[in-house]
């Protein structure tokens, strides 16, 4: 920003600088107005749900105009949901699914991406195309056979059965390969000269160089695992194994007409992800911002 | 400096899992699509009968055209709008990081929860119709009118996806050398000219990526329909995957459902090839 102003002043003298600043003020005001408007659109559904979840049983939810501030504040909807569903159990299951849903794809994808990005070998192009092809197979195509395979190896109804089929993603391999392609050849060569073996090169050279990609893939995997609905819904039949998404779907069935309770249940599932996101975002934004040039 | 065996040992763990849980199931599904199978009775080979039945299945064609319509509503919006969002939050304005977080947050929310949030927004006397009334417009039957339901669902998908794709564009933008813009400033280029000449060409690989990923997402969407509309009204929001799920797990027509999913798979492949031809040029 400083450099821009100096440039403006140097080129156009003082009157030019004044006009230039005025333009800057207008454009910044416009940017802020636009950003605030979009932010409102993004959070409006959340605010509305929060408001609904805090409304008393006798208070109308739909009124014209909509009332965002409840007339009869209550936390009763939250305690009802908490007491009628095993929320901590759902939480724990979601945490287990998310942990393995992040760890396994990160390890497996970075292993597989390494030769695809850095080695020359016969069959490489074929393997890469095959992996990319699996990316295009909709999960719904393979859903039925995987269901039958899990049945065969006795994993139906278990959390392992939810985790294993999703442990490797072709998309993750693709992403890690893109990250590893950008590592300069010289770093790798000097490691070889120093006598490092392939596994050391992978662990000590490649992995630190692709940290931003790992962070991106880790976060994407976390979101995917935390929010996964279809697969746990299909594989699990015992409510003690349900993650939050499936539990919430059941909640809707249990309290079919009570919007306030479903809203409270939705807010309960949103709180942890908001906390994880807020505590994680520094590292995330850092990763995304790496290499940014700001005045 | 690397041996061939190294390559294969790195590839093996992921490769085996992909083989067992992706490649073999894909062929198994192809096999199933030529059979009649209801889980209880043994598999019966029926040749092309399932595919022939699809040709005259009007519900399948409706689901196909619904899916294509949904894709046309969703993908162009998700390719273009996040670019502007990324340009907006890429400026060094104070507090811009908070806005990025807010825009990204909907992406983190489970589609099950999203479906709840938006069915309340879409109520006939809900928030959206109130906003319309403030603008002097007539209230809309968001989810209950057969012409409105897919645009409404597309609106939810775009709302949820904006921040996700914004981040990809943002990291793309941040790899554009700043001096290109400075040079353009010196040449007196305005905002739009700079985006056209510098931003869009530099973002081309990201645009390809977003087009492919959002196309696949749009063609596979079903959780939203399952939670919000159950494919209705009058099958107006029955997408192919919703139909596949219904055929396979409600009616136990595994063979017919597999045939449908294969036609869908071919459609996605075709679109990806087209995307590659037009967007992925070096």
């Amino acid at each position: 920003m400083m450099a821009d102003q100096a440039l403006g002043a140097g080129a156009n003298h003082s009157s030019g600088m004044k006009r230039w600043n005025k333009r800057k003020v207008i454009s910044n005001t416009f940017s802020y107005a636009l950003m605030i408007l979009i932010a409102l659109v993004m959070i409006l559904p959340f605010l509305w749900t929060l408001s609904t979840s805090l409304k008393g049983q006798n208070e109308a939810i739909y009124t014209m105009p909509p009332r965002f501030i409840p007339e009869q504040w209550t936390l009763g909807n939250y305690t009802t949901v908490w007491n009628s569903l095993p929320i901590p159990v759902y939480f724990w299951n979601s945490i287990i699914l998310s942990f393995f849903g992040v760890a396994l794809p990160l390890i497996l994808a970075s292993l597989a991406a390494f030769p695809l990005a850095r080695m020359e070998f016969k069959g490489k192009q074929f393997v890469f195309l095959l992996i990319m092809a699996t990316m295009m197979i909709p999960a719904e195509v393979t859903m039925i056979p995987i269901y039958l395979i899990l049945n065969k190896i006795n994993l139906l109804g278990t959390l392992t059965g939810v985790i294993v089929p999703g442990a490797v993603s072709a998309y993750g391999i693709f992403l890690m390969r893109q990250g590893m392609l950008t590592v300069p050849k010289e770093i790798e060569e000097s490691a070889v000269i120093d006598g490092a073996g392939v596994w050391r090169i992978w662990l000590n050279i490649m992995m630190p160089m692709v940290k931003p990609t790992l962070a991106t893939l880790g976060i994407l995997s976390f979101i995917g695992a935390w929010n996964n609905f279809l697969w746990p819904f299909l594989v699990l039949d015992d409510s003690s194994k349900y993650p939050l998404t499936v539990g919430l779907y059941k909640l809707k069935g249990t309290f079919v007409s009570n919007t306030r309770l479903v809203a409270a249940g939705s807010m309960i599932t949103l709180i942890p992800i908001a906390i994880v996101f807020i505590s994680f975002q520094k590292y995330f934004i850092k990763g995304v911002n790496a290499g940014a040039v700001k005045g | 400096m690397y041996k061939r065996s190294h390559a294969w040992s790195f590839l093996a763990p992921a490769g085996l899992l992909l083989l067992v849980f992706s490649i073999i199931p894909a062929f198994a599904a192809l096999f199933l699509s030529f059979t009649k199978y209801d889980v209880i009775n043994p598999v019966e080979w029926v040749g092309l009968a399932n595919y022939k039945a699809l040709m005259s299945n009007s519900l399948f064609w409706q689901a196909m055209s619904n899916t294509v319509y949904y894709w046309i509503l969703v993908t162009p919006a998700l390719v273009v709008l996040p670019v502007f969002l990324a340009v907006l939050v890429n400026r060094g304005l104070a507090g811009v990081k908070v806005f990025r977080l807010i825009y990204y947050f909907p992406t983190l929310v489970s589609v099950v929860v999203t479906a709840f949030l938006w069915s309340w927004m879409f109520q006939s006397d809900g928030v959206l119709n109130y906003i319309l009334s403030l603008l002097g417009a007539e209230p809309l039957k968001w989810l209950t009118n057969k012409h409105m339901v897919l645009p409404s669902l597309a609106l939810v998908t775009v709302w949820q996806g904006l921040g996700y794709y914004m981040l990809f564009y943002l990291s793309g933008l941040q790899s554009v050398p700043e001096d290109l813009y400075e040079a353009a400033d010196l040449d007196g280029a305005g905002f739009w000219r700079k985006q056209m000449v510098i931003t869009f060409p530099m973002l081309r690989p990201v645009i390809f990526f977003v087009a492919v990923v959002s196309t696949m997402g749009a063609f596979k969407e079903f959780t939203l329909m399952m939670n919000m509309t159950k494919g209705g009204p009058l099958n107006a929001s029955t997408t192919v995957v919703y139909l596949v799920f219904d055929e396979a797990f409600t009616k136990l027509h595994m063979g017919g459902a597999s045939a449908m999913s294969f036609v869908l798979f071919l459609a996605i492949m075709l679109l990806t090839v087209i995307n590659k031809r037009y967007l992925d040029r070096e």
Side-chain angles (χ1 to χ4, degrees), chain B residues 245-268:
Chain B
F245 192 85
D246 195 45
E247 283 286 311
F249 290 92
T250 316
K251 298 178 184 140
L252 297 178
H253 294 163
M254 299 293 179
S258 298
M260 283 179 191
S261 58
F262 261 93
V263 176
L264 177 76
F265 175 41
L266 292 177
I268 297 177

Side-chain angles (χ1 to χ4, degrees), chain B residues 28-78:
Chain B
L30 181 63
F31 170 76
L32 275 176
S33 76
F34 297 115
T35 68
K36 198 177 161 200
Y37 185 50
D38 59 4
V39 186
I40 301 131
N41 295 301
V43 180
E44 185 192 332
W45 183 266
V46 294
L48 287 170
N50 289 326
Y51 290 95
K52 276 184 192 146
L54 275 190
M55 294 301 124
S56 56
N57 182 343
S58 62
L59 184 55
F60 174 74
W61 288 110
Q62 192 185 349
M64 204 64 178
S65 82
N66 286 343
T67 305
V68 170
Y69 182 40
Y70 178 74
W71 168 65
I72 291 171
L73 290 168
V74 162
T75 292
L78 282 181

